[in-house]
Amino acid sequence: TSTGTGGPNNATCSSSSRAAIARARVQRFRALQEVLGHLRSSWASAADLADGGGGHCTVDEADFDAGLVALAVLVPDSVIQQALHLVDAGDVRRVSSRRGRCFYEVRGARGAHLVLPAGLYCSCPYFARRVLEAGEPCCKHWLAVQLVAAKGGPSASRGLLGAAASSAEALGPGTAAEMGEDEFAAWARQRFVSPTS
């Protein structure tokens, strides 16, 4: 058995280290999905109460704050703050086809980025560099999309947060657009091949 650099023992160690890193990334992403699911269910419960109570509802401030604390454990604070800013500025746009396929387009400082809502993908350079290569759980654009989706989509009402608005007014609505299938396919193809500025 070789004990020098690059020998069989080194390859096995390197392979098991990569597997451990991959498992840790999957666990962090699952935890992130659970936190977002908790926020989604909190907002859904508040919306259900609003439907039965004259249209005004509030999300329990302590529940919302607990969700933000849980996010802060998994995602850098700067990413959370920038994601909240993107949502508050209305920079999240849902684009869907008439058959229900959808992507989100998030305007950033240097252009618009394409985000897949059901998976983990954003066309921004941070995503390629920090998420795919360095193992960060997400970028600000992806998180902004998840927050908008958790709240009920781009057309969701700002009034949903009620008492928690002081700490989370940033979760306002974005915009939505619906296209025919061919138009949607051309729009998506253009953004996958050459992201917009």
Short mmCIF file of all heavy atoms in Angstrom, two decimals, residues 9 16 25 49 98 103 112 164 180:
data_model
loop_
_atom_site.label_atom_id
_atom_site.label_comp_id
_atom_site.label_asym_id
_atom_site.label_seq_id
_atom_site.Cartn_x
_atom_site.Cartn_y
_atom_site.Cartn_z
N ASN A 9 -4.42 5.32 -0.46
CA ASN A 9 -5.01 5.76 0.80
C ASN A 9 -5.47 7.21 0.71
O ASN A 9 -6.50 7.57 1.26
CB ASN A 9 -4.01 5.61 1.95
CG ASN A 9 -3.76 4.15 2.29
OD1 ASN A 9 -4.60 3.31 1.98
ND2 ASN A 9 -2.63 3.87 2.91
N SER A 16 -13.89 9.99 0.62
CA SER A 16 -14.78 9.98 1.78
C SER A 16 -15.00 11.40 2.31
O SER A 16 -16.08 11.72 2.80
CB SER A 16 -14.25 9.06 2.89
OG SER A 16 -13.04 9.54 3.39
N ARG A 25 -23.89 19.32 3.00
CA ARG A 25 -24.60 20.29 2.16
C ARG A 25 -26.06 19.91 2.01
O ARG A 25 -26.95 20.76 2.09
CB ARG A 25 -23.96 20.37 0.77
CG ARG A 25 -22.70 21.15 0.72
CD ARG A 25 -22.20 21.23 -0.70
NE ARG A 25 -21.02 22.05 -0.80
CZ ARG A 25 -20.39 22.27 -1.93
NH1 ARG A 25 -20.83 21.73 -3.05
NH2 ARG A 25 -19.32 23.03 -1.96
N LEU A 49 -56.91 32.66 8.42
CA LEU A 49 -57.61 33.46 9.42
C LEU A 49 -58.19 34.72 8.79
O LEU A 49 -59.30 35.13 9.13
CB LEU A 49 -56.67 33.83 10.57
CG LEU A 49 -56.27 32.70 11.50
CD1 LEU A 49 -55.21 33.19 12.49
CD2 LEU A 49 -57.47 32.16 12.25
N ARG A 98 -48.98 29.44 -19.79
CA ARG A 98 -50.41 29.16 -19.55
C ARG A 98 -50.63 27.74 -19.05
O ARG A 98 -51.64 27.46 -18.44
CB ARG A 98 -51.20 29.43 -20.82
CG ARG A 98 -51.28 30.92 -21.11
CD ARG A 98 -52.28 31.27 -22.18
NE ARG A 98 -52.29 32.70 -22.38
CZ ARG A 98 -51.54 33.34 -23.27
NH1 ARG A 98 -50.75 32.67 -24.08
NH2 ARG A 98 -51.59 34.65 -23.38
N PHE A 103 -40.79 30.23 -13.95
CA PHE A 103 -39.48 30.65 -13.48
C PHE A 103 -39.69 31.98 -12.77
O PHE A 103 -40.73 32.62 -12.93
CB PHE A 103 -38.49 30.87 -14.63
CG PHE A 103 -38.14 29.64 -15.41
CD1 PHE A 103 -38.31 29.62 -16.78
CD2 PHE A 103 -37.62 28.53 -14.78
CE1 PHE A 103 -37.97 28.50 -17.53
CE2 PHE A 103 -37.26 27.40 -15.51
CZ PHE A 103 -37.44 27.39 -16.88
N ALA A 112 -30.73 41.14 -14.51
CA ALA A 112 -31.76 40.23 -14.04
C ALA A 112 -31.21 38.80 -14.01
O ALA A 112 -30.40 38.42 -14.87
CB ALA A 112 -32.97 40.30 -14.96
N ALA A 164 -46.16 41.89 12.50
CA ALA A 164 -44.75 41.62 12.23
C ALA A 164 -44.19 42.55 11.16
O ALA A 164 -43.03 42.46 10.82
CB ALA A 164 -44.56 40.16 11.79
N GLY A 180 -47.77 32.74 -23.46
CA GLY A 180 -48.09 31.53 -24.20
C GLY A 180 -46.89 30.59 -24.16
O GLY A 180 -45.78 31.00 -23.82
#
